[in-house]
Amino acid sequence: MSAMPKDRLIAALGAQLRAERETRDALAEVIANGQLDREVLLAILSDPVPVVTRDEIVRAEAWLRGLPPALPAPPKLRAA
């Protein structure tokens, strides 16, 4: 059974979060070790490669538009 678009989006966002954490940890390690070479910093800044594609964002936005509102609409006031 193939994964639902929502499940794929959640997995992609989780992978992106892990990649960003790894990048942050690598940057902290480089700073702690005094390895602030230009090449090292450029390599770290070019990572992570985005995990979520534009098509997945478009599908996620379309899916979100199809959901009911989180809060009920406020009642309309009538003039007295």
Side-chain angles (χ1 to χ4, degrees):
M1 184 167 94
S2 64
M4 300 291 292
K6 176 178 69 171
D7 297 331
R8 289 190 1 243
L9 177 63
I10 291 169
L13 291 173
Q16 184 172 8
L17 180 59
R18 281 190 302 277
E20 289 171 357
R21 285 180 178 162
E22 289 173 4
T23 300
R24 185 181 64 231
D25 292 344
L27 183 57
E29 186 176 331
V30 165
I31 291 170
N33 291 332
Q35 300 170 328
L36 294 176
D37 298 20
R38 183 177 191 276
E39 292 78 18
V40 172
L41 292 176
L42 287 175
I44 291 173
L45 291 174
S46 66
D47 200 34
V49 175
V51 175
V52 180
T53 66
R54 180 72 185 140
D55 290 340
E56 289 171 324
I57 292 172
V58 169
R59 281 195 301 272
E61 288 173 342
W63 178 77
L64 288 170
R65 282 192 298 275
L67 293 178
L71 299 174
K76 293 185 179 182
L77 300 177
R78 295 181 295 181

